[in-house]
Amino acid sequence: MSRKRAAVRASDIAPELAQLSRRRLLKGGLSLGALALMTGCDLSSHSGIDAALSTMLEFDDRVQAALFNPSRLAETYPASAITEPFRFNAYYPEWQVRTAPVQWRLDVSGLVSEKTPWTLQNLMALPQESQITRHICIEGWSQIGQWSGVPLHVFLRRIGADLRAHYVALKCCDGYSTSLDMASALHPQTILAIDFKDAPLTPEWGAPVRLRIPTKLGFKSAKNLQAIEVANIYPGGFWEDQGYNWFSGS
């Protein structure tokens, strides 16, 4: 189910939140029937159900964006809490692009002033940060891991990205894609991870570079990055275009 939308901003939903307390918003929710009455959706057909579900997802995205605090950090943990062995998924050897790190390039495009592709060596020359945070999978499991890399806000500023833009889109070597709102992209814990557990990423962990964003569900932490685009047009994503909640964060 593909969805088109306008940019999500906290100010867009301020009037609605003024009428709903945070407690009521989190404890309750709109039923499919109630939402259908609000939107005038005809649920007698698949198209009517899809329209109602799409409206629910878009409303959920707007609420999450309004409640998102760009200065609030995800919980961090001591090294003793790291999960061993750390689980991974969505790794299929036949999907991996056989590109040596020395040959890898990260393309940049869109609303940026510097569009020269980045090498792994160039990225490693930027300031690095390490984090021990929880990875929460939409499948229902979570584990604690350690990642190190370049804060995405540092990278975006280095390429002269328009920080007023609405979206940051990410494309991967295997065809996977996802996208973030700009506030989440600029969050201090959102990084372009280069290392996992103090060692260079291997293919199953997203080599040579992956996104790591602990304020969102795991499917937003795209692996095997190939391109980053800054845009004002909603870019969607692999799972988002199939009906997954787009914001998917706290």
Side-chain angles (χ1 to χ4, degrees), residues 7 21-22 25-26 32 42 58 69 85 98 116 123 144 216:
S21 69
R22 179 185 176 94
L25 197 59
L26 295 179
L32 185 60
D42 177 7
E58 291 181 11
N69 183 343
R98 301 296 192 264
T116 302
L123 280 178
I144 297 171
K216 294 186 180 292

Side-chain angles (χ1 to χ4, degrees), residues 91-119:
Y91 169 64
Y92 308 97
E94 64 272 20
W95 287 9
Q96 303 306 305
V97 175
R98 301 296 192 264
T99 301
V102 69
Q103 299 172 320
W104 175 85
R105 297 291 185 272
L106 179 65
D107 294 327
V108 294
S109 62
L111 304 176
V112 301
S113 60
E114 178 53 66
K115 298 182 179 180
T116 302
W118 280 68
T119 66

